[in-house]
Amino acid sequence: MSIAATECLLRMYDEHHEIEDYQKGVPRWCTGCGDNAILAAVQRLCRDEALHPDKTLFVSGIGCSSRLPHYMNTYGFHGIHGRAFPVAEGIKMARPELDVFVSTGDGDCCSIGAAHWIHAIRYNMNMTVMLHDNQIYGLTKKQASPTSPIGTKSNTTPKGSYLEALNPLTVTLGVQNVSFVAQAVDWIPELLYDILSAAYHHKGFSFIRIIQRCPEWLPGMMDAWMKDPQTTLLLHHPKALKISSTLARTYTRMEEHDPLNMNRAREIASETDPIPVGILYQNPNVPCYEDVRHDPRLRTSDLVRRGLEAEFDKFTVWPEGDDA
Ligand SMILES: Cc1ncc(C[n+]2csc(CCOP(=O)(O)OP(=O)(O)O)c2C)c(N)n1
Ligand code: SF4
Ligand SMILES: [Mg+2]
């Protein structure tokens, strides 16, 4: 065998990974927690896309869901509550070649981190965002979150929560520069994977709200959706998500939806009965902030050098009597 062929084989071997290569530790989530299904889907995606563990990064805030980077044998950053987005944006700015994923909870993203969430949408940096929406604060043992449906009994709302739930889909769709919005549920793994894959391939801020079971604090909360396929509306389109014949036999409520149609996306996003699952909106033409800022026409090395020199000159201390 020639040296070139041997090198080629070695490179292929080096680039090939099994799912086990992306797994780390034993997840500490409760039995039946939807986070387990989300983890399985991302590990499968990493294997199928042959992502290099050294060039892949999972960023999170704080919460049960934010433990996900611990279980990935890639780089990870388990950040501060509500601050997954600024951490991920900083990393992407400095190392745009990395594949960046964000795991965030409904408290982490929609409550304490809401300001960062809004601006991250507008910045449209190329990353795949998984909002693990279990409609409760899981880690801190059952406080109402912004996405808890009205009437949810929790430790902070023992008589039931008072406000209508915040809808992460309509909020995201309302922000300037939005480029990808989808909804998935943890109990349909085939679609969860396909949506995650579409989000990964989209260049921009790909936001997936994943409705996630928390059997510990809200047992049975998603039972109505899980037990009756008629409560689910599958979104499909020849240029976006295709539905397998197996799924189509169970989930008969379907709509062909063009993800470029923002008006219809907003209407669908407001629906909870049936609950939409699929890609609501996708626009491949929104510029990413890291590309805008890294435009070589704006930042030539000469410009950077001259800018730095001018900054350093401000702090120059000249010897006494020397007015140069
Ligand atoms: C600044 C700060 N405030 C509050 C907390 C306490 N805290 C930790 S996780 C959490 C909420 C977690 O809920 P969510 O983001 O929905 O994640 P889940 O556990 O449900 O996955 C809170 C309030 C904290 N760690 N840091
Ligand atoms: S408390 Fe809920 S969200 Fe947290 S690990 Fe258990 S089931 Fe999952
Ligand atoms: Mg939560």
Side-chain angles (χ1 to χ4, degrees), residues 29 33 35 61-67 79-83 104-112 131-141 143 145-147 212 214 217:
W29 294 311
C33 173
D35 288 336
I62 298 289
C64 295
S65 40
S66 289
R67 291 196 55 77
I80 312 172
H81 196 31
R83 273 68 187 183
T104 177
D106 41 312
D108 198 61
C109 174
C110 311
S111 192
I112 191 170
L131 166 59
H132 304 225
D133 189 355
N134 56 5
Q135 307 180 341
I136 198 81
Y137 289 3
L139 187 76
T140 43
K141 302 181 188 285
Q143 294 85 29
S145 94
T147 64
Q212 174 236 319
C214 173
W217 306 123

mmCIF file of all heavy atoms in Angstrom, residues 29 33 35 61-67 79-83 104-112 131-141 143 145-147 212 214 217, ligand 1:
data_model
loop_
_atom_site.group_PDB
_atom_site.id
_atom_site.type_symbol
_atom_site.label_atom_id
_atom_site.label_comp_id
_atom_site.label_asym_id
_atom_site.label_seq_id
_atom_site.Cartn_x
_atom_site.Cartn_y
_atom_site.Cartn_z
ATOM 1 N N TRP A 29 -29.293 12.285 36.183
ATOM 2 C CA TRP A 29 -30.690 12.701 36.093
ATOM 3 C C TRP A 29 -31.612 11.579 36.589
ATOM 4 O O TRP A 29 -31.251 10.389 36.540
ATOM 5 C CB TRP A 29 -31.042 13.024 34.641
ATOM 6 C CG TRP A 29 -30.318 14.221 34.096
ATOM 7 C CD1 TRP A 29 -30.207 15.445 34.694
ATOM 8 C CD2 TRP A 29 -29.617 14.313 32.851
ATOM 9 N NE1 TRP A 29 -29.483 16.297 33.884
ATOM 10 C CE2 TRP A 29 -29.107 15.633 32.747
ATOM 11 C CE3 TRP A 29 -29.372 13.432 31.811
ATOM 12 C CZ2 TRP A 29 -28.376 16.080 31.658
ATOM 13 C CZ3 TRP A 29 -28.641 13.868 30.708
ATOM 14 C CH2 TRP A 29 -28.145 15.177 30.640
ATOM 15 N N CYS A 33 -36.295 11.076 33.208
ATOM 16 C CA CYS A 33 -36.094 12.509 32.906
ATOM 17 C C CYS A 33 -35.840 12.677 31.407
ATOM 18 O O CYS A 33 -35.027 11.952 30.814
ATOM 19 C CB CYS A 33 -34.902 13.030 33.698
ATOM 20 S SG CYS A 33 -34.465 14.723 33.250
ATOM 21 N N ASP A 35 -34.144 14.787 29.914
ATOM 22 C CA ASP A 35 -32.767 15.176 29.588
ATOM 23 C C ASP A 35 -31.980 13.995 29.034
ATOM 24 O O ASP A 35 -31.067 14.170 28.219
ATOM 25 C CB ASP A 35 -32.055 15.734 30.829
ATOM 26 C CG ASP A 35 -32.564 17.117 31.208
ATOM 27 O OD1 ASP A 35 -33.093 17.824 30.327
ATOM 28 O OD2 ASP A 35 -32.433 17.497 32.386
ATOM 29 N N GLY A 61 -25.693 26.780 31.458
ATOM 30 C CA GLY A 61 -25.802 27.673 32.620
ATOM 31 C C GLY A 61 -25.808 26.817 33.875
ATOM 32 O O GLY A 61 -24.889 26.031 34.090
ATOM 33 N N ILE A 62 -26.861 26.958 34.678
ATOM 34 C CA ILE A 62 -27.003 26.126 35.883
ATOM 35 C C ILE A 62 -28.420 25.560 35.909
ATOM 36 O O ILE A 62 -29.382 26.265 35.618
ATOM 37 C CB ILE A 62 -26.750 26.946 37.179
ATOM 38 C CG1 ILE A 62 -25.313 27.488 37.219
ATOM 39 C CG2 ILE A 62 -27.029 26.110 38.426
ATOM 40 C CD1 ILE A 62 -24.215 26.468 37.455
ATOM 41 N N GLY A 63 -28.538 24.316 36.297
ATOM 42 C CA GLY A 63 -29.832 23.626 36.364
ATOM 43 C C GLY A 63 -29.586 22.154 36.102
ATOM 44 O O GLY A 63 -28.456 21.758 35.780
ATOM 45 N N CYS A 64 -30.607 21.332 36.239
ATOM 46 C CA CYS A 64 -30.437 19.897 35.909
ATOM 47 C C CYS A 64 -29.955 19.782 34.468
ATOM 48 O O CYS A 64 -28.985 19.086 34.160
ATOM 49 C CB CYS A 64 -31.766 19.155 36.034
ATOM 50 S SG CYS A 64 -32.435 19.075 37.687
ATOM 51 N N SER A 65 -30.651 20.482 33.556
ATOM 52 C CA SER A 65 -30.323 20.420 32.131
ATOM 53 C C SER A 65 -28.895 20.874 31.862
ATOM 54 O O SER A 65 -28.231 20.374 30.954
ATOM 55 C CB SER A 65 -31.309 21.286 31.349
ATOM 56 O OG SER A 65 -31.584 22.484 32.055
ATOM 57 N N SER A 66 -28.434 21.817 32.656
ATOM 58 C CA SER A 66 -27.107 22.386 32.415
ATOM 59 C C SER A 66 -25.988 21.431 32.816
ATOM 60 O O SER A 66 -24.807 21.737 32.630
ATOM 61 C CB SER A 66 -26.971 23.721 33.148
ATOM 62 O OG SER A 66 -27.769 24.690 32.500
ATOM 63 N N ARG A 67 -26.348 20.255 33.346
ATOM 64 C CA ARG A 67 -25.315 19.257 33.629
ATOM 65 C C ARG A 67 -24.872 18.537 32.348
ATOM 66 O O ARG A 67 -23.899 17.774 32.368
ATOM 67 C CB ARG A 67 -25.826 18.226 34.643
ATOM 68 C CG ARG A 67 -26.026 18.803 36.034
ATOM 69 C CD ARG A 67 -26.146 17.694 37.064
ATOM 70 N NE ARG A 67 -25.023 16.769 37.041
ATOM 71 C CZ ARG A 67 -23.818 17.001 37.554
ATOM 72 N NH1 ARG A 67 -23.582 18.156 38.168
ATOM 73 N NH2 ARG A 67 -22.860 16.108 37.472
ATOM 74 N N GLY A 79 -21.448 26.867 33.069
ATOM 75 C CA GLY A 79 -21.235 28.284 33.403
ATOM 76 C C GLY A 79 -21.942 28.769 34.644
ATOM 77 O O GLY A 79 -21.955 28.108 35.684
ATOM 78 N N ILE A 80 -22.532 29.942 34.541
ATOM 79 C CA ILE A 80 -23.218 30.605 35.651
ATOM 80 C C ILE A 80 -24.699 30.639 35.282
ATOM 81 O O ILE A 80 -25.048 30.699 34.096
ATOM 82 C CB ILE A 80 -22.686 32.043 35.840
ATOM 83 C CG1 ILE A 80 -21.159 32.045 35.851
ATOM 84 C CG2 ILE A 80 -23.223 32.660 37.115
ATOM 85 C CD1 ILE A 80 -20.575 33.441 35.837
ATOM 86 N N HIS A 81 -25.555 30.649 36.294
ATOM 87 C CA HIS A 81 -26.997 30.622 36.022
ATOM 88 C C HIS A 81 -27.401 31.790 35.119
ATOM 89 O O HIS A 81 -27.144 32.952 35.437
ATOM 90 C CB HIS A 81 -27.746 30.696 37.355
ATOM 91 C CG HIS A 81 -29.182 30.298 37.252
ATOM 92 N ND1 HIS A 81 -29.653 29.366 36.351
ATOM 93 C CD2 HIS A 81 -30.271 30.691 37.962
ATOM 94 C CE1 HIS A 81 -30.955 29.213 36.499
ATOM 95 N NE2 HIS A 81 -31.358 30.009 37.473
ATOM 96 N N GLY A 82 -27.986 31.462 33.975
ATOM 97 C CA GLY A 82 -28.488 32.487 33.059
ATOM 98 C C GLY A 82 -27.454 33.036 32.095
ATOM 99 O O GLY A 82 -27.774 33.886 31.264
ATOM 100 N N ARG A 83 -26.205 32.562 32.209
ATOM 101 C CA ARG A 83 -25.134 33.180 31.403
ATOM 102 C C ARG A 83 -24.536 32.240 30.357
ATOM 103 O O ARG A 83 -23.407 32.462 29.898
ATOM 104 C CB ARG A 83 -24.017 33.708 32.318
ATOM 105 C CG ARG A 83 -24.238 35.112 32.821
ATOM 106 C CD ARG A 83 -25.382 35.202 33.760
ATOM 107 N NE ARG A 83 -25.706 36.563 34.117
ATOM 108 C CZ ARG A 83 -26.650 36.893 34.981
ATOM 109 N NH1 ARG A 83 -27.384 35.953 35.550
ATOM 110 N NH2 ARG A 83 -26.903 38.141 35.253
ATOM 111 N N THR A 104 -29.633 24.895 27.905
ATOM 112 C CA THR A 104 -30.133 25.862 28.881
ATOM 113 C C THR A 104 -31.535 25.445 29.324
ATOM 114 O O THR A 104 -32.277 24.837 28.548
ATOM 115 C CB THR A 104 -30.118 27.286 28.260
ATOM 116 O OG1 THR A 104 -30.664 28.228 29.190
ATOM 117 C CG2 THR A 104 -30.916 27.382 26.967
ATOM 118 N N GLY A 105 -31.880 25.754 30.587
ATOM 119 C CA GLY A 105 -33.203 25.399 31.100
ATOM 120 C C GLY A 105 -34.183 26.552 30.934
ATOM 121 O O GLY A 105 -33.796 27.664 30.562
ATOM 122 N N ASP A 106 -35.449 26.306 31.236
ATOM 123 C CA ASP A 106 -36.458 27.362 31.092
ATOM 124 C C ASP A 106 -36.230 28.473 32.120
ATOM 125 O O ASP A 106 -36.491 29.646 31.843
ATOM 126 C CB ASP A 106 -37.885 26.797 31.201
ATOM 127 C CG ASP A 106 -38.027 25.759 32.290
ATOM 128 O OD1 ASP A 106 -37.197 24.843 32.366
ATOM 129 O OD2 ASP A 106 -38.977 25.860 33.084
ATOM 130 N N GLY A 107 -35.697 28.109 33.301
ATOM 131 C CA GLY A 107 -35.338 29.149 34.268
ATOM 132 C C GLY A 107 -34.091 29.863 33.782
ATOM 133 O O GLY A 107 -34.023 31.102 33.745
ATOM 134 N N ASP A 108 -33.105 29.081 33.404
ATOM 135 C CA ASP A 108 -31.803 29.604 32.978
ATOM 136 C C ASP A 108 -31.943 30.581 31.798
ATOM 137 O O ASP A 108 -31.356 31.662 31.792
ATOM 138 C CB ASP A 108 -30.951 28.399 32.560
ATOM 139 C CG ASP A 108 -29.481 28.700 32.514
ATOM 140 O OD1 ASP A 108 -28.912 29.052 33.551
ATOM 141 O OD2 ASP A 108 -28.901 28.585 31.418
ATOM 142 N N CYS A 109 -32.764 30.198 30.809
ATOM 143 C CA CYS A 109 -32.886 31.000 29.576
ATOM 144 C C CYS A 109 -33.962 32.077 29.702
ATOM 145 O O CYS A 109 -33.721 33.243 29.378
ATOM 146 C CB CYS A 109 -33.222 30.065 28.416
ATOM 147 S SG CYS A 109 -33.566 30.866 26.848
ATOM 148 N N CYS A 110 -35.136 31.686 30.184
ATOM 149 C CA CYS A 110 -36.302 32.589 30.065
ATOM 150 C C CYS A 110 -36.518 33.445 31.309
ATOM 151 O O CYS A 110 -37.352 34.343 31.301
ATOM 152 C CB CYS A 110 -37.576 31.779 29.796
ATOM 153 S SG CYS A 110 -37.400 30.598 28.468
ATOM 154 N N SER A 111 -35.801 33.135 32.396
ATOM 155 C CA SER A 111 -35.982 33.928 33.614
ATOM 156 C C SER A 111 -34.725 34.754 33.846
ATOM 157 O O SER A 111 -34.582 35.839 33.274
ATOM 158 C CB SER A 111 -36.253 32.959 34.780
ATOM 159 O OG SER A 111 -36.695 33.654 35.903
ATOM 160 N N ILE A 112 -33.762 34.224 34.593
ATOM 161 C CA ILE A 112 -32.574 35.027 34.930
ATOM 162 C C ILE A 112 -31.746 35.378 33.693
ATOM 163 O O ILE A 112 -31.078 36.411 33.653
ATOM 164 C CB ILE A 112 -31.713 34.287 35.985
ATOM 165 C CG1 ILE A 112 -30.635 35.197 36.563
ATOM 166 C CG2 ILE A 112 -31.107 33.016 35.437
ATOM 167 C CD1 ILE A 112 -29.914 34.612 37.777
ATOM 168 N N LEU A 131 -33.129 24.453 24.327
ATOM 169 C CA LEU A 131 -33.823 24.912 25.536
ATOM 170 C C LEU A 131 -34.565 23.704 26.108
ATOM 171 O O LEU A 131 -35.574 23.251 25.552
ATOM 172 C CB LEU A 131 -34.806 26.039 25.195
ATOM 173 C CG LEU A 131 -35.825 26.389 26.292
ATOM 174 C CD1 LEU A 131 -35.159 26.818 27.591
ATOM 175 C CD2 LEU A 131 -36.775 27.489 25.821
ATOM 176 N N HIS A 132 -34.051 23.164 27.205
ATOM 177 C CA HIS A 132 -34.701 22.011 27.861
ATOM 178 C C HIS A 132 -35.856 22.586 28.692
ATOM 179 O O HIS A 132 -35.638 23.076 29.799
ATOM 180 C CB HIS A 132 -33.745 21.296 28.813
ATOM 181 C CG HIS A 132 -32.459 20.812 28.210
ATOM 182 N ND1 HIS A 132 -31.953 19.551 28.460
ATOM 183 C CD2 HIS A 132 -31.545 21.406 27.399
ATOM 184 C CE1 HIS A 132 -30.797 19.395 27.832
ATOM 185 N NE2 HIS A 132 -30.522 20.519 27.186
ATOM 186 N N ASP A 133 -37.053 22.559 28.139
ATOM 187 C CA ASP A 133 -38.178 23.232 28.809
ATOM 188 C C ASP A 133 -39.044 22.213 29.554
ATOM 189 O O ASP A 133 -39.960 21.616 28.998
ATOM 190 C CB ASP A 133 -39.014 23.994 27.767
ATOM 191 C CG ASP A 133 -40.048 24.892 28.425
ATOM 192 O OD1 ASP A 133 -40.168 24.852 29.679
ATOM 193 O OD2 ASP A 133 -40.740 25.633 27.705
ATOM 194 N N ASN A 134 -38.737 22.052 30.855
ATOM 195 C CA ASN A 134 -39.554 21.148 31.686
ATOM 196 C C ASN A 134 -40.614 21.932 32.474
ATOM 197 O O ASN A 134 -41.280 21.395 33.347
ATOM 198 C CB ASN A 134 -38.686 20.301 32.619
ATOM 199 C CG ASN A 134 -37.800 21.162 33.504
ATOM 200 O OD1 ASN A 134 -37.905 22.391 33.477
ATOM 201 N ND2 ASN A 134 -36.935 20.547 34.282
ATOM 202 N N GLN A 135 -40.706 23.224 32.214
ATOM 203 C CA GLN A 135 -41.747 24.093 32.775
ATOM 204 C C GLN A 135 -41.655 24.221 34.296
ATOM 205 O O GLN A 135 -42.640 24.512 34.964
ATOM 206 C CB GLN A 135 -43.135 23.604 32.342
ATOM 207 C CG GLN A 135 -43.224 23.456 30.828
ATOM 208 C CD GLN A 135 -44.559 22.977 30.322
ATOM 209 O OE1 GLN A 135 -45.350 22.418 31.076
ATOM 210 N NE2 GLN A 135 -44.836 23.179 29.052
ATOM 211 N N ILE A 136 -40.439 24.041 34.829
ATOM 212 C CA ILE A 136 -40.247 24.115 36.291
ATOM 213 C C ILE A 136 -38.759 24.309 36.576
ATOM 214 O O ILE A 136 -37.932 24.005 35.719
ATOM 215 C CB ILE A 136 -40.768 22.801 36.956
ATOM 216 C CG1 ILE A 136 -41.027 22.966 38.467
ATOM 217 C CG2 ILE A 136 -39.831 21.610 36.706
ATOM 218 C CD1 ILE A 136 -42.320 23.600 38.804
ATOM 219 N N TYR A 137 -38.435 24.838 37.773
ATOM 220 C CA TYR A 137 -37.039 24.822 38.202
ATOM 221 C C TYR A 137 -36.803 23.437 38.799
ATOM 222 O O TYR A 137 -37.293 23.136 39.889
ATOM 223 C CB TYR A 137 -36.778 25.864 39.289
ATOM 224 C CG TYR A 137 -36.805 27.318 38.856
ATOM 225 C CD1 TYR A 137 -37.112 27.705 37.560
ATOM 226 C CD2 TYR A 137 -36.504 28.311 39.783
ATOM 227 C CE1 TYR A 137 -37.123 29.038 37.201
ATOM 228 C CE2 TYR A 137 -36.513 29.646 39.429
ATOM 229 C CZ TYR A 137 -36.831 30.006 38.137
ATOM 230 O OH TYR A 137 -36.847 31.327 37.785
ATOM 231 N N GLY A 138 -36.063 22.588 38.096
ATOM 232 C CA GLY A 138 -35.862 21.213 38.553
ATOM 233 C C GLY A 138 -34.805 21.110 39.644
ATOM 234 O O GLY A 138 -35.060 20.596 40.730
ATOM 235 N N LEU A 139 -33.623 21.665 39.359
ATOM 236 C CA LEU A 139 -32.482 21.481 40.270
ATOM 237 C C LEU A 139 -32.770 22.000 41.671
ATOM 238 O O LEU A 139 -32.385 21.393 42.665
ATOM 239 C CB LEU A 139 -31.242 22.182 39.701
ATOM 240 C CG LEU A 139 -29.946 21.917 40.461
ATOM 241 C CD1 LEU A 139 -29.413 20.528 40.157
ATOM 242 C CD2 LEU A 139 -28.884 22.944 40.119
ATOM 243 N N THR A 140 -33.466 23.136 41.760
ATOM 244 C CA THR A 140 -33.702 23.749 43.073
ATOM 245 C C THR A 140 -35.016 23.262 43.696
ATOM 246 O O THR A 140 -35.545 23.889 44.605
ATOM 247 C CB THR A 140 -33.691 25.282 42.955
ATOM 248 O OG1 THR A 140 -34.421 25.653 41.773
ATOM 249 C CG2 THR A 140 -32.284 25.817 42.832
ATOM 250 N N LYS A 141 -35.570 22.192 43.142
ATOM 251 C CA LYS A 141 -36.678 21.444 43.747
ATOM 252 C C LYS A 141 -38.031 22.143 43.668
ATOM 253 O O LYS A 141 -38.635 22.468 44.683
ATOM 254 C CB LYS A 141 -36.362 21.062 45.200
ATOM 255 C CG LYS A 141 -35.088 20.228 45.339
ATOM 256 C CD LYS A 141 -34.843 19.853 46.790
ATOM 257 C CE LYS A 141 -33.500 19.190 46.957
ATOM 258 N NZ LYS A 141 -33.436 17.829 46.503
ATOM 259 N N GLN A 143 -39.680 25.142 41.845
ATOM 260 C CA GLN A 143 -40.268 26.492 41.868
ATOM 261 C C GLN A 143 -40.864 26.757 40.479
ATOM 262 O O GLN A 143 -40.351 26.232 39.490
ATOM 263 C CB GLN A 143 -39.203 27.566 42.181
ATOM 264 C CG GLN A 143 -38.616 27.488 43.581
ATOM 265 C CD GLN A 143 -37.472 26.498 43.673
ATOM 266 O OE1 GLN A 143 -36.760 26.259 42.719
ATOM 267 N NE2 GLN A 143 -37.299 25.916 44.855
ATOM 268 N N SER A 145 -41.547 28.353 36.979
ATOM 269 C CA SER A 145 -40.669 29.057 36.038
ATOM 270 C C SER A 145 -41.554 29.900 35.118
ATOM 271 O O SER A 145 -42.779 29.761 35.132
ATOM 272 C CB SER A 145 -39.846 28.043 35.222
ATOM 273 O OG SER A 145 -40.486 27.750 33.995
ATOM 274 N N PRO A 146 -40.944 30.754 34.271
ATOM 275 C CA PRO A 146 -41.790 31.570 33.379
ATOM 276 C C PRO A 146 -42.631 30.727 32.422
ATOM 277 O O PRO A 146 -43.646 31.196 31.919
ATOM 278 C CB PRO A 146 -40.774 32.405 32.589
ATOM 279 C CG PRO A 146 -39.529 32.379 33.390
ATOM 280 C CD PRO A 146 -39.522 31.092 34.155
ATOM 281 N N THR A 147 -42.199 29.489 32.142
ATOM 282 C CA THR A 147 -42.967 28.674 31.196
ATOM 283 C C THR A 147 -43.945 27.717 31.889
ATOM 284 O O THR A 147 -44.591 26.909 31.205
ATOM 285 C CB THR A 147 -42.030 27.866 30.256
ATOM 286 O OG1 THR A 147 -41.281 26.931 31.041
ATOM 287 C CG2 THR A 147 -41.078 28.757 29.489
ATOM 288 N N GLN A 212 -39.653 18.955 27.694
ATOM 289 C CA GLN A 212 -38.899 17.905 28.380
ATOM 290 C C GLN A 212 -39.612 17.488 29.661
ATOM 291 O O GLN A 212 -40.009 18.323 30.465
ATOM 292 C CB GLN A 212 -37.497 18.467 28.692
ATOM 293 C CG GLN A 212 -36.609 17.602 29.529
ATOM 294 C CD GLN A 212 -36.113 18.319 30.772
ATOM 295 O OE1 GLN A 212 -35.765 19.493 30.736
ATOM 296 N NE2 GLN A 212 -36.087 17.609 31.897
ATOM 297 N N CYS A 214 -40.232 16.205 33.380
ATOM 298 C CA CYS A 214 -39.603 16.191 34.698
ATOM 299 C C CYS A 214 -40.499 15.344 35.603
ATOM 300 O O CYS A 214 -41.359 15.875 36.317
ATOM 301 C CB CYS A 214 -39.462 17.604 35.256
ATOM 302 S SG CYS A 214 -38.867 17.617 36.962
ATOM 303 N N TRP A 217 -40.786 16.371 39.614
ATOM 304 C CA TRP A 217 -41.566 17.480 40.181
ATOM 305 C C TRP A 217 -42.897 17.702 39.465
ATOM 306 O O TRP A 217 -43.808 18.290 40.060
ATOM 307 C CB TRP A 217 -40.750 18.782 40.170
ATOM 308 C CG TRP A 217 -39.422 18.659 40.836
ATOM 309 C CD1 TRP A 217 -38.205 18.916 40.295
ATOM 310 C CD2 TRP A 217 -39.175 18.243 42.185
ATOM 311 N NE1 TRP A 217 -37.208 18.675 41.204
ATOM 312 C CE2 TRP A 217 -37.769 18.267 42.375
ATOM 313 C CE3 TRP A 217 -39.981 17.845 43.262
ATOM 314 C CZ2 TRP A 217 -37.157 17.906 43.580
ATOM 315 C CZ3 TRP A 217 -39.375 17.483 44.466
ATOM 316 C CH2 TRP A 217 -37.986 17.521 44.608
HETATM 317 C C1 LIG B 1 -27.397 33.638 40.276
HETATM 318 C C2 LIG B 1 -28.124 32.403 40.721
HETATM 319 N N1 LIG B 1 -29.409 32.520 41.115
HETATM 320 C C3 LIG B 1 -30.087 31.418 41.506
HETATM 321 C C4 LIG B 1 -29.467 30.194 41.497
HETATM 322 C C5 LIG B 1 -30.231 28.986 41.960
HETATM 323 N N2 LIG B 1 -30.664 28.149 40.855
HETATM 324 C C6 LIG B 1 -29.896 27.151 40.386
HETATM 325 S S1 LIG B 1 -30.614 26.308 39.124
HETATM 326 C C7 LIG B 1 -31.999 27.302 39.220
HETATM 327 C C8 LIG B 1 -33.188 27.089 38.308
HETATM 328 C C9 LIG B 1 -33.052 25.902 37.435
HETATM 329 O O1 LIG B 1 -34.178 25.797 36.593
HETATM 330 P P1 LIG B 1 -34.034 25.601 35.044
HETATM 331 O O2 LIG B 1 -33.139 26.624 34.453
HETATM 332 O O3 LIG B 1 -35.394 25.502 34.476
HETATM 333 O O4 LIG B 1 -33.246 24.199 34.902
HETATM 334 P P2 LIG B 1 -33.730 22.734 35.275
HETATM 335 O O5 LIG B 1 -33.116 22.416 36.601
HETATM 336 O O6 LIG B 1 -35.205 22.712 35.318
HETATM 337 O O7 LIG B 1 -33.170 21.902 34.176
HETATM 338 C C10 LIG B 1 -31.871 28.273 40.206
HETATM 339 C C11 LIG B 1 -32.899 29.277 40.532
HETATM 340 C C12 LIG B 1 -28.127 30.129 41.082
HETATM 341 N N3 LIG B 1 -27.461 28.965 41.006
HETATM 342 N N4 LIG B 1 -27.471 31.236 40.705
#
